[in-house]
Amino acid sequence: MTPSREHLDVVMNVVGNEAALTALALDNPIHRSWLRCYNDYGLDPAGRQHMRVESSGALRDRHAKHLAYLHTARAAMEELYARVADLGYVLLLADADGITLDYLGHRAGDSPIRAGLVVGANWHEAHAGTNGIGTCLAECRTLTCHYDDHFYAGNLDLSCTATPLFDPEGELMGALDLSSLTTPDSRASQHLIGHMASMYGRMIEDANFLRHFGHRWVLRLGRAASLVEVNAEALLAFDADGVIVGADSGARRLLQTVDGQSVGALLGQPLSAVFRNPLGDVMRLARAGNGDSSALLHPWLGEPRQAMVRGPQRRTRMSGATSAQADHLQAAPQGDVSALEALSDRDPKMDALISQARRLAGRSINMIIQGETGTGKEVLAQAIHQASSRADRAFVAINCAAIPESLIESELFGYLPGTFTGARSRGMVGLIQRADGGTLFLDEIGDMPLALQTRLLRVLAERELLPLGADKPIPLALTVLAASHRNLRERISAGQFREDLYYRLSGATLSLPPLRERQDRAYLVRRILGEEATAIDANDHLTVQAMELLLRYPWPGNIRELRNVLRYALSMAEGHGIGARDLPLEVQLVDAPAPVLLATVPTPSAIDVAPGGEDADASPEVHQLLGALRRHHWVIADVARELSTCRATVYRRMKRHGIVAPTQFC
């Protein structure tokens, strides 16, 4: 009897036996799932599973809905994958409907279930039968679906362990899954994987909880005072009056109210309903600051726990706060600060800059943004505008270095009809006037001609504008953000920039760090890659090797260069996700020997052609391409010029024939 026939007999013995219905009352989630699949969903274990995959449009909608969840989970997934990749596992992240939103790992080759190990696959029990993700979501518990636990016989070569993920309100958010095609036969081999899945699942939940309740006080509880700050068993969020506003999975599991209710039913109740300690004990911890002090709190039911309190990260004035408490809370800007917060993922320099910008955004203060070319000065300026009370008014951006000097005065200040030959018959409203009531962004202010600097100084000093040909000034109300990659103080010393204008603009100075100095480069890669992939409906999967190259590259062109590199890589990848070979050669060769040394490498069959590529003698095009690559020491721009084509075509031909740079095999 074949293994699949034996499996069908076992499944049918459970689902077709009236006595087996008692399994519903037993602690056997697999048998309960089989019964659901057979009785509720009408699935046939002998039938052929047809894996459903979401359309790209539907998947984009799901990604947009779960953007913060995906970002939080991805960091934990990458850390977990680094621990299990050598064991042959792949990672899947699904939403509450069982749709996979993210994937890490090698593809499943020729496995019959390879269609399910992709982003967009639907692993809900109603479609896929008993499986790790679907059954985990149905049971709301960490479990292993090992080989013949699956409902469909076609899935018997898959072993998967999944853990449920809950949002800060306690609602099911999705599941984290580890799947293997090479797991040993023993179910016991999955015990450690189950612990790891559960641990990283809680890390994702806690990170999501802390982000969601960043503006609240968060009580951390644990058994050991030395570990509670980094490894809390439970998290409770509360407001300035000590009223509970959130509880994570650990708190819902461990804590009960004085009358025995779960903490989940306690939202809106005071902390005193959970702890015997006076509210003052908790508030003293709150006043002590982040991680500076701990105390022993005694729940009404259960064991005492060590406690620490984390204060609000973005403090807002809370309703019901006492006047003494309110004096310590900072009023929030009137605009939306989310665009500012999205600029960084815990990079110290950027976090300090964002904190400074957030405080200044709500005030009409002119600012200068300094930073190398491509660091995102205009993006920061737009985020500051969105965080200000001017967010619903115009944001007008002007590149002072891009407008011809002969036109810049009329473009900035506007003109009346008939002012000069060639002028519009109705005149023109200048860019400065269009920003009235909003924000004027002057990029590359250091390149503005001196004569126009004088006119701009008058606008800032008098708060009024005089268009060309006019004799009556127009009053203005605007905030100016100026940016430059130049050192403006050096320009002042050289007589190329007015000192009085500098002081009019520099109510505050914000310095953007270059990309090579930022600690959140992986976050920027993921965020920008997601944006670019969505724009062209492409696969945004990125291999570990490609990410390593991107993180090592020094990025002289900063974020602008990163965006261009990712656009190029998406084009080269042709829909299968980005690997190391899809990146531009200058990124692939980072930290590699100088290209001139490559001419001494002797054996093209072993070095110039990748394993599985075409033989060098297979076509004249290969001979021509290899010859040009060697003559120009693998400098693609020079090869493209010799062949009278573009760099992208050279890369495509190299990929088609399996040709890679010699350093790929060093």
Side-chain angles (χ1 to χ4, degrees):
M1 184 179 294
T2 64
S4 58
R5 184 68 257 174
E6 291 178 357
H7 174 67
L8 293 176
D9 289 344
V10 172
V11 173
M12 293 307 301
N13 186 51
V14 171
V15 301
N17 187 340
E18 287 292 328
L21 294 177
T22 57
L24 288 171
L26 302 177
D27 188 21
N28 192 328
I30 299 301
H31 286 182
R32 285 199 297 269
S33 175
W34 289 357
L35 287 163
R36 283 193 298 270
C37 292
Y38 191 80
N39 295 325
D40 298 344
Y41 310 137
L43 302 182
D44 179 3
R48 184 175 180 181
Q49 176 189 357
H50 297 283
M51 179 57 65
R52 298 190 182 187
V53 179
E54 294 285 288
S55 67
S56 58
L59 191 57
R60 275 199 305 273
D61 292 341
R62 288 182 182 271
H63 275 161
K65 178 182 177 182
H66 298 292
L67 199 58
Y69 166 41
L70 285 167
H71 167 59
T72 302
R74 185 70 190 202
M77 288 178 67
E78 289 176 348
E79 183 176 321
L80 176 57
Y81 182 67
R83 296 174 181 267
V84 300
D86 292 340
L87 302 177
Y89 284 90
V90 298
L91 270 62
L92 296 168
L93 182 75
D95 64 12
D97 295 324
I99 310 298
T100 55
L101 302 179
D102 205 354
Y103 174 95
L104 270 180
H106 299 294
R107 298 298 167 185
D110 295 328
S111 167
I113 52 82
R114 66 184 182 278
L117 299 183
V118 294
V119 173
N122 188 332
W123 284 102
H124 193 283
E125 271 189 346
H127 309 302
T130 305
N131 68 87
I133 291 175
T135 306
C136 163
L137 293 172
E139 294 284 330
C140 288
R141 59 185 287 183
T142 301
L143 57 79
T144 294
C145 190
H146 190 65
Y147 292 155
D148 55 8
D149 289 339
H150 289 84
F151 186 77
Y152 280 116
N155 288 349
L156 299 187
D157 60 347
L158 179 67
S159 181
C160 42
T161 298
T163 190
L165 303 173
F166 295 90
D167 69 15
E169 269 73 41
E171 296 296 325
L172 186 63
M173 184 168 55
L176 175 66
D177 173 84
L178 291 88
S179 293
S180 172
L181 301 176
T182 59
T183 305
D185 292 337
S186 171
R187 172 185 290 275
S189 65
Q190 297 303 291
H191 289 172
L192 178 59
I193 293 297
H195 285 301
M196 294 182 71
S198 182
M199 179 177 70
Y200 278 88
R202 300 301 77 74
M203 287 172 58
I204 293 171
E205 283 189 9
D206 287 353
N208 203 43
F209 185 92
L210 293 172
R211 179 195 58 78
H212 183 81
F213 289 112
H215 62 295
R216 299 292 193 181
W217 304 93
V218 176
L219 180 64
R220 309 174 68 97
L221 300 169
R223 294 182 183 277
S226 58
L227 296 177
V228 67
E229 185 177 6
V230 295
N231 188 25
E233 290 182 87
L235 300 176
L236 279 176
F238 62 95
D239 64 17
D241 288 331
V243 175
I244 296 173
V245 294
D248 76 340
S249 297
R252 294 170 189 270
R253 183 177 65 254
L254 293 175
L255 301 175
Q256 292 180 308
T257 66
V258 64
D259 57 0
Q261 291 183 320
S262 69
V263 171
L266 190 65
L267 301 186
Q269 299 298 315
L271 287 168
S272 58
V274 178
F275 300 104
R276 298 174 184 270
N277 304 63
L279 179 60
D281 288 356
V282 180
M283 298 313 293
R284 274 194 292 275
L285 283 176
R287 289 193 294 271
N290 295 337
D292 291 338
S293 181
S294 65
L296 194 65
L297 295 186
H298 297 266
W300 286 104
L301 299 171
E303 299 177 4
R305 291 292 193 277
Q306 294 290 335
M308 284 185 174
V309 173
R310 189 207 70 175
Q313 303 303 293
R314 298 191 306 273
R315 298 184 178 182
T316 57
R317 193 174 299 277
M318 302 176 193
S319 61
T322 65
S323 58
Q325 291 166 334
D327 289 341
H328 290 85
L329 303 178
Q330 180 179 335
Q334 297 178 31
D336 181 6
V337 299
S338 59
L340 273 173
E341 304 298 337
L343 296 179
S344 170
D345 183 34
R346 298 186 298 277
D347 175 77
K349 291 182 179 179
M350 283 298 298
D351 286 351
L353 181 147
I354 290 169
S355 176
Q356 182 183 9
R358 191 168 55 237
R359 292 194 297 271
L360 296 169
R363 297 164 177 81
S364 297
I365 297 176
N366 297 331
M367 304 179 216
I368 292 178
I369 302 173
Q370 295 272 185
E372 295 180 6
T373 298
T375 49
K377 295 185 286 293
E378 183 171 349
V379 174
L380 174 60
Q382 288 177 327
I384 292 172
H385 174 74
Q386 290 299 319
S388 74
S389 58
R390 306 177 301 279
D392 60 342
R393 306 301 295 271
F395 175 87
V396 178
I398 303 169
N399 189 323
C400 300
I403 302 177
E405 189 169 342
S406 59
L407 298 177
I408 192 170
E409 187 170 16
S410 60
E411 290 284 335
L412 288 180
F413 296 92
Y415 54 84
L416 297 185
T419 301
F420 52 85
T421 302
R424 298 177 186 175
S425 60
R426 296 183 179 180
M428 188 183 77
V429 175
L431 293 171
I432 294 178
Q433 187 177 347
R434 293 180 193 177
D436 186 22
T439 301
L440 177 66
F441 175 62
L442 298 174
D443 197 9
E444 301 302 349
I445 186 70
D447 294 313
M448 178 179 280
L450 277 169
L452 287 179
Q453 292 179 29
T454 301
R455 291 206 63 186
L456 178 61
L457 177 64
R458 178 177 178 83
V459 171
L460 298 180
E462 305 296 334
R463 296 287 174 175
E464 59 185 26
L465 173 76
L466 188 67
L468 298 178
D471 54 14
K472 183 178 180 181
I474 299 171
L476 292 175
L478 54 83
T479 298
V480 178
L481 305 180
S484 180
H485 72 282
R486 301 181 182 275
N487 187 317
L488 293 181
R489 291 189 177 276
E490 290 181 358
R491 302 279 287 176
I492 292 171
S493 300
Q496 298 170 322
F497 198 82
R498 291 188 61 117
E499 186 173 16
D500 45 4
L501 175 59
Y502 174 82
Y503 289 117
R504 283 285 181 183
L505 293 171
S506 61
T509 300
L510 305 176
S511 298
L512 273 168
L515 181 55
R516 62 184 175 275
E517 294 180 5
R518 292 183 57 167
Q519 298 178 16
D520 59 349
R521 293 192 297 279
Y523 162 74
L524 292 171
V525 169
R526 292 291 179 196
R527 195 191 77 189
I528 295 173
L529 177 59
E531 294 170 0
E532 295 298 327
T534 299
I536 62 173
D537 194 19
N539 184 347
D540 64 355
H541 176 65
L542 186 70
T543 67
V544 174
Q545 293 79 9
M547 176 62 89
E548 288 175 352
L549 289 171
L550 291 169
L551 295 181
R552 287 207 305 267
Y553 186 67
W555 300 110
N558 293 294
I559 296 175
R560 184 182 295 123
E561 182 185 12
L562 170 61
R563 187 175 291 275
N564 289 336
V565 164
L566 293 176
R567 284 176 181 169
Y568 170 86
L570 285 168
S571 300
M572 294 300 297
E574 299 179 345
H576 57 66
I578 297 174
R581 284 208 232 168
D582 299 314
L583 299 172
L585 197 59
E586 60 267 25
V587 179
Q588 293 186 42
L589 298 182
V590 64
D591 296 334
V596 68
L597 299 179
L598 303 181
T600 63
V601 179
T603 55
S605 62
I607 295 175
D608 297 329
V609 183
E614 297 182 22
D615 188 88
D617 295 327
S619 72
E621 183 181 77
V622 177
H623 274 299
Q624 181 190 36
L625 183 56
L626 279 173
L629 287 165
R630 293 195 192 99
R631 280 191 298 278
H632 295 290
H633 310 303
W634 299 78
V635 178
I636 303 300
D638 294 343
V639 173
R641 276 192 293 271
E642 177 181 325
L643 301 180
S644 299
T645 186
C646 64
R647 292 175 60 194
T649 299
V650 174
Y651 281 118
R652 279 196 295 270
R653 291 176 181 174
M654 290 173 64
K655 185 174 183 179
R656 182 166 65 247
H657 297 296
I659 300 172
V660 295
T663 50
Q664 293 293 300
F665 296 94
C666 292

